[in-house]
Amino acid sequence: MSYTATDSTLRLLTPFVGASIAWHLLALAAAVSVPGAAPWALAAVALNHLVITAAGLTPRSTLLGRNVSRLPAAAAARGEVAITIDDGPDPDVTPAVLDLLDAAGQKATFFCIAERAAQYPAVAREIVRRGHSIQNHTARHRHDFSFLGPRAYADELGRAQRILAQVSGQTPSCFRAPAGFRNMFLAPVLQRMGLTLVSWTRRGFDTREGDAQRVLERLTRGLAGGDIILLHDGNAARSPEGLPVVLEVLPPLLARLQAQGLRSVTLPQGLAP
Ligand SMILES: [Zn+2]
């Protein structure tokens, strides 16, 4: 992997990543200068890599860089939450999702896969026309996303930015990794592109779970102002009746928001200072 750590990149490192680099140098120095230390140094480095990998596979972890998993305190105090809907747009599911949101007077953020937005530009434009927000969920939703290097990250995110801006007329300011999985090379790329990594407070696993009631319980247990809620209009699991789960979950979820006096806003609204 050809990667030159420039000064600006070094400034972006989290204390954890900085300590990891120091740990590598220390292990190398020990391996070279202390007789018999090489196996121990190797083990120390391996352990460090294990922790780095685990952090990247923990969607809400902040060890590898800034990662928003709740709206700021001010938004929470205003009773705001953010419904986020990933993996679309889908020509069948997304229009129905938009109708449900409209009926409840709530706004949402759609983390779109850029190539799908290019495939269904009318659906993407309709999302924006109805007052919702489109954000960056990569160009292709690669399943090996957490194994990519800086160049591949820059390509995936940059291409998605260009496509989504062209299709929707809005340049995304937020990014979400596929399944929340990434590695230490992502943070500097996000910083260069002016993107904020956003994960979630609660998710319903609605790409795997066909039981809408269980998805709803996961999303509403302890639901409170400031929560970022994750659902999917693309890759949605189907209920036993064959319905995309998101369409069964949204009506009771929106009713619950209203009952609790909560209001769903777009991420750019909720994250605004
Ligand atoms: Zn996704």
Side-chain angles (χ1 to χ4, degrees):
M1 218 172 289
S2 66
Y3 186 60
T4 356
T6 61
D7 280 358
S8 64
T9 304
L10 286 173
R11 274 200 303 277
L12 294 174
L13 298 176
T14 62
F16 170 72
V17 176
S20 294
I21 293 172
W23 186 251
H24 277 67
L25 295 176
L26 201 69
L28 181 68
V32 169
S33 57
V34 182
W40 293 101
L42 201 65
V45 166
L47 180 69
N48 181 247
H49 278 245
L50 212 62
V51 177
I52 289 174
T53 304
L57 298 180
T58 307
R60 303 177 67 223
S61 163
T62 55
L63 276 182
L64 302 180
R66 184 174 180 228
N67 182 4
V68 174
S69 59
R70 288 187 63 78
L71 296 181
R78 291 193 294 268
E80 294 174 0
V81 300
I83 296 177
T84 61
I85 303 177
D86 289 15
D87 294 5
D90 179 287
D92 300 318
V93 183
T94 310
V97 166
L98 292 175
D99 287 345
L100 290 171
L101 290 168
D102 266 4
Q106 303 284 6
K107 300 299 179 209
T109 299
F110 291 77
F111 278 96
C112 289
I113 299 170
E115 288 191 354
R116 284 196 190 169
Q119 202 178 349
Y120 307 110
V123 185
R125 279 194 291 272
E126 188 63 8
I127 291 173
V128 173
R129 195 186 70 77
R130 300 221 204 166
H132 308 289
S133 173
I134 286 186
Q135 298 296 337
N136 187 332
H137 195 38
T138 75
R140 281 183 290 167
H141 208 263
R142 292 175 62 160
H143 290 291
D144 59 352
F145 191 79
S146 63
F147 298 105
L148 300 183
R151 253 184 224 168
Y153 277 157
D155 178 64
E156 267 291 308
L157 275 61
R159 215 152 51 80
Q161 286 294 88
R162 286 191 295 279
I163 294 171
L164 293 173
Q166 195 182 13
V167 168
S168 73
Q170 294 179 346
T171 302
S173 55
C174 300
F175 174 79
R176 179 172 285 157
F181 297 163
R182 73 278 180 211
N183 64 43
M184 60 180 281
F185 296 121
L186 181 65
V189 176
L190 291 172
Q191 173 84 15
R192 272 208 309 279
M193 295 189 183
L195 287 166
T196 301
L197 182 67
V198 179
S199 52
W200 51 81
T201 314
R202 47 192 78 249
R203 60 172 160 174
F205 295 99
D206 58 318
T207 55
R208 289 186 257 150
E209 174 70 73
D211 184 338
Q213 191 54 39
R214 284 171 68 174
V215 173
L216 183 69
E217 275 163 22
R218 289 189 187 117
L219 295 179
T220 54
R221 200 179 303 129
L223 181 69
D227 285 1
I228 298 173
I229 298 162
L230 169 60
L231 279 165
H232 293 79
D233 56 350
N235 301 323
R238 304 274 155 167
S239 71
E241 292 75 36
L243 215 67
V245 170
V246 63
L247 299 183
E248 289 202 8
V249 169
L250 265 180
L253 175 66
L254 293 166
R256 175 72 180 266
L257 292 186
Q258 194 183 9
Q260 281 188 232
L262 299 171
R263 189 166 68 95
S264 181
V265 297
T266 66
L267 281 173
Q269 282 176 299
L271 298 176

